[in-house]
Amino acid sequence: MTLPRRMGMTAGAALLLVLAVLAGICIGETAIPLGTVWKVMSNRLWGAGHAVDPIDGGIIWAYRLTRALVAGACGAGLAVCGVILQSLLRNPLADPYLLGISAGASTGAVLVTVAGVGAGAISLSAGALGGALLAFGLVAVLAKAAGGGAGTRGAGQIILAGIAGSQLFNALTSFIITKSASAEQARGILFWLLGNLSGVRWPDVWVAVPAAVLIVIVAAVHNRALDAFTFGAESAASLGVPVRRVQAVLIVATALATAVLVSVVGSIGFVGLVVPHAARFVVGVRHARLVPAAALIGAVFLIAVDVLSRILVQGQVLPIGVVTALVGAPAFALLLIRGGARR
Amino acid sequence: MIRISGVGWRTKGTHIVRDVSLTVSQGQRFGLIGPNGSGKSTLLRLIAGLQTPTSGQVRLQGKTLAELGRRGIARRLAFVAQAAETADRITVRDAVGLGRTPWLSALSPWSAEDDRIVTEALAAVDMARFDRRDWMTLSGGERQRVHIARALAQRPQILLLDEPANHLDIHHQLSILRLIGDLGLTTMIALHDLNQAMECDRLGVMHKGQLIATGTPAEVMTPDLLARVFGVRIRELVDPVDGAKVLRFHEIC
Ligand SMILES: Nc1ncnc2c1ncn2[C@@H]1O[C@H](COP(=O)(O)OP(=O)(O)OP(=O)(O)O)[C@@H](O)[C@H]1O
Ligand SMILES: [Mg+2]
């Protein structure tokens, strides 16, 4: 790609992201005019000193902007994690939760909120992060013990270990809920598990955005290595890729990023599985283009879905994980059909 | 140059390859023959560094595989495996472009030179017309030729091929083998067609994990040895046009 063309694409992507965030700010139960958004943003960013309604200011800055930023970060981060795992493990069904992370996070969250572990000193997010990392650690140890490592066989072992770990932690979660949760608590947990952006504030932005940016950078740095896995791990090795190191670095990075994102917003499904495929339909399988495309599509998609989840049912916010699948599945079906026709 | 000494690989107590020593000198075409399961592929993978020998050592141009490192090996040696598949919708051109991987880095990104090398590699295997096609739409022989093109795009000095003529029609069998000959690279090639093996500079015979004979085709292809290794009786015919020997095979009853 020529330099001017690449700069054009980057500018276009940035513009699209800004537009999505603006839409996330303006649209909601009360619509906010763009003019007001502009005034609040310029007050905040460079102290322009416009007169604005403090309530509008609060909604825009503390509520809707943070929400849109976290949604964008999660969308981009999960989509790129999906790209990495699908390419590395040579499995189109791989998603970021494959490594037991979402199951572990739910166990951690339930332990904190229902079983009262930590006696209130540990937040739900911290519990979820702890559970996610513990589950991934277990899956990694199991995969290694089962002979996973370099080679295509290693990929199979990681997937199977992930399934075993997920089942175990899901069972633990159900066990704790049925043993000690009230119906109200169970509902709250279910809501959290399906993804929830309502409590998001600035501290969450400072956790989610760096996690997403880091995983996108890690993936971009490894784009050629990921390409080399096209014909399997052994072929990658014969092309000079240090397979074991690349697998270890990428899987650990993916697990950490996913665990952090899940601890902030719960396990939003669908994005990490399907956005990578949608991105492949649009830009092809080479990672130099696939990684940025998946990040952009994931971010814009999740911001848009968050807006929908707020306005779809009057006076009620739907769990975002429900809406991602409700909106995303038909959209993806359309892409599949068109992609099939093109062939 | 390939020099291997005392190389072996064992797993779960059985020796798959045992104590193989041999030298393939610069520019030589070395053919590896032997029955199914005799260890040809394993030996090639050991030389390519895809498997670590449990004993012995492999040297490429005087350096051990450990000294060269993964990237160093890939810059000197290209390996065409017996079967490598993908479900990705990658184009033929991009698949061949993967061969440039060991030469690319952040400091030396893809350049027009890389494009030229890929175009040349595609032309060499007679796949230039296919460069925009999806991998999934190719026939078995076309896929094999793309794999060979990818190996050529690596610009190696050493080429290892595991039954490269599999899937190829007779015309492409001959043209690929001629191409490999014309390249003048140090080549090691596992073959099943003994008549094709006759065209190699030197042959090695694998039998139950051991290299039991090496030498020129005339030295190696003796009735005794073929009877012992493959369980067949041979008859040599002479082509009246150029006087070349042609082998015919019969089962030993
Ligand atoms: N990882 C492994 N574990 C156990 N046995 C193995 C392993 N790899 C190879 N073998 C065995 O080693 C033997 C040699 O295999 P190899 O693939 O090298 O044979 P080959 O000479 O290439 O045969 P073919 O002509 O069928 O390609 C076979 O019997 C195979 O089953
Ligand atoms: Mg073989």
Side-chain angles (χ1 to χ4, degrees):
Chain A
M1 208 184 318
T2 57
L3 192 62
R5 182 131 180 259
R6 187 180 306 184
M7 280 164 66
M9 301 276 263
T10 312
L15 187 70
L16 204 61
L17 262 183
V18 170
L19 285 179
V21 171
L22 277 181
I25 297 174
C26 294
I27 306 170
E29 246 171 305
T30 48
I32 298 177
L34 265 179
T36 316
V37 175
W38 170 250
K39 282 183 195 158
V40 171
M41 297 299 281
S42 49
N43 280 357
R44 286 288 182 164
L45 293 177
W46 54 88
H50 298 290
V52 286
D53 181 348
I55 294 182
D56 277 349
I59 291 180
I60 291 171
W61 186 255
Y63 179 67
R64 291 207 183 150
L65 177 61
T66 52
R67 214 176 149 129
L69 289 177
V70 169
C74 287
L78 291 174
V80 169
C81 287
V83 166
I84 293 176
L85 288 181
Q86 287 170 6
S87 296
L88 211 55
L89 304 179
R90 308 306 315 150
N91 191 317
L93 292 178
D95 82 353
Y97 305 135
L98 179 87
L99 302 165
I101 284 161
S102 126
S106 66
T107 309
V110 168
L111 275 176
V112 169
T113 52
V114 178
V117 169
I122 302 174
S123 70
L124 185 143
S125 287
L129 185 62
L133 294 179
L134 185 72
F136 169 65
L138 212 73
V139 166
V141 169
L142 180 57
K144 188 134 182 64
T152 36
R153 183 157 162 272
Q157 304 295 35
I158 292 169
I159 293 171
L160 292 177
I163 290 174
S166 295
Q167 296 288 342
L168 174 69
F169 280 86
N170 281 334
L172 275 177
T173 306
S174 305
F175 178 77
I176 298 166
I177 289 181
T178 44
K179 196 166 159 285
S180 45
S182 64
E184 191 49 41
Q185 271 177 325
R187 197 179 123 85
I189 293 288
L190 183 68
F191 203 89
W192 183 82
L193 281 180
L194 286 168
N196 183 7
L197 285 163
S198 24
V200 161
R201 295 294 178 268
W202 277 106
D204 302 306
V205 174
W206 297 125
V207 175
V209 171
V213 169
L214 276 179
I215 196 67
V216 172
I217 291 174
V218 167
V221 166
H222 286 91
N223 74 67
R224 256 188 273 285
L226 284 167
D227 282 342
F229 276 85
T230 301
F231 289 96
E234 186 167 294
S235 160
S238 75
L239 290 170
V241 173
V243 167
R244 273 165 207 276
R245 200 188 73 212
V246 167
Q247 277 177 333
V249 167
L250 286 178
I251 286 180
V252 170
T254 309
L256 289 180
T258 311
V260 167
L261 295 178
V262 166
S263 74
V264 175
V265 297
S267 45
I268 300 172
F270 194 81
V271 179
L273 176 64
V274 169
V275 169
H277 291 294
R280 277 187 202 101
F281 278 123
V282 180
V283 300
V285 298
R286 297 295 297 269
H287 289 82
R289 299 169 69 185
L290 179 57
V291 169
L296 179 67
I297 294 173
V300 172
F301 174 71
L302 210 54
I303 294 172
V305 165
D306 178 46
V307 170
L308 277 178
S309 77
R310 285 183 275 137
I311 61 173
L312 219 52
V313 179
Q314 200 73 46
Q316 192 185 353
V317 179
L318 295 170
I320 191 165
V322 171
V323 187
T324 46
L326 276 182
V327 179
F332 185 64
L334 219 67
L335 260 181
L336 257 181
I337 293 166
R338 281 199 37 213
R342 204 176 48 191
R343 213 200 271 196
Chain B
M1 192 179 82
I2 309 168
R3 185 192 292 276
I4 66 184
S5 45
V7 162
W9 191 73
R10 56 182 292 172
T11 178
K12 301 185 192 96
T14 50
H15 290 271
I16 305 294
V17 167
R18 189 200 291 255
D19 194 25
V20 173
S21 300
L22 76 96
T23 301
V24 183
S25 48
Q26 200 73 44
Q28 204 171 53
R29 205 151 38 118
F30 189 95
L32 211 50
I33 57 176
N36 291 139
S38 57
K40 303 181 297 295
S41 299
T42 308
L43 181 60
L44 290 180
R45 290 157 45 80
L46 289 170
I47 297 171
L50 298 174
Q51 238 163 278
T52 317
T54 42
S55 60
Q57 208 170 48
V58 177
R59 287 174 177 273
L60 305 177
Q61 283 148 341
K63 294 212 177 87
T64 64
L65 295 186
E67 282 166 7
L68 289 170
R70 272 259 64 94
R71 194 182 260 259
I73 297 171
R75 286 182 173 188
R76 287 169 180 79
L77 177 151
F79 178 60
V80 179
Q82 211 165 350
E85 273 303 328
T86 185
D88 279 357
R89 303 183 59 169
I90 190 170
T91 65
V92 166
R93 193 174 185 85
D94 284 347
V96 175
L98 293 179
R100 299 307 297 156
T101 306
W103 300 98
L104 302 173
S105 68
L107 295 180
S108 55
W110 189 273
S111 69
E113 171 74 359
D114 296 300
D115 268 325
R116 195 181 59 72
I117 290 172
V118 168
T119 305
E120 262 180 39
L122 278 165
V125 298
D126 192 22
M127 287 293 288
R129 292 167 289 134
F130 291 81
D131 76 334
R132 292 273 140 232
R133 278 272 286 279
D134 257 5
W135 173 263
M136 303 293 284
T137 67
L138 298 182
S139 77
E142 288 160 358
R143 290 178 192 196
Q144 188 66 19
R145 277 145 67 196
V146 173
H147 281 313
I148 293 170
R150 183 174 70 248
L152 297 181
Q154 266 174 269
R155 284 292 161 97
Q157 293 138 36
I158 300 171
L159 195 55
L160 302 189
L161 302 123
D162 199 348
E163 293 175 37
N166 259 0
H167 298 299
L168 297 188
D169 63 51
I170 186 67
H171 169 76
H172 285 108
Q173 279 184 25
L174 295 178
S175 71
I176 290 287
L177 291 173
R178 183 179 43 73
L179 167 73
I180 291 165
D182 291 348
L183 288 170
L185 303 175
T186 309
T187 309
M188 246 182 117
I189 175 168
L191 285 169
H192 275 304
D193 186 322
L194 299 185
N195 277 307
Q196 284 170 2
M198 297 289 281
E199 310 287 318
C200 293
D201 299 323
R202 270 158 60 81
L203 287 181
V205 184
M206 291 294 289
H207 186 48
K208 298 185 176 151
Q210 282 178 297
L211 186 69
I212 57 164
T214 52
T216 63
E219 287 163 9
V220 168
M221 295 271 205
T222 58
D224 258 9
L225 189 93
L226 293 180
R228 182 151 71 90
V229 173
F230 291 98
V232 294
R233 197 156 46 80
I234 58 166
R235 245 199 348 251
E236 285 184 356
L237 310 179
V238 177
D239 185 331
V241 177
D242 60 358
K245 281 188 201 161
V246 180
L247 303 181
R248 285 203 66 198
F249 309 98
H250 308 273
E251 272 182 283
I252 296 173
C253 305

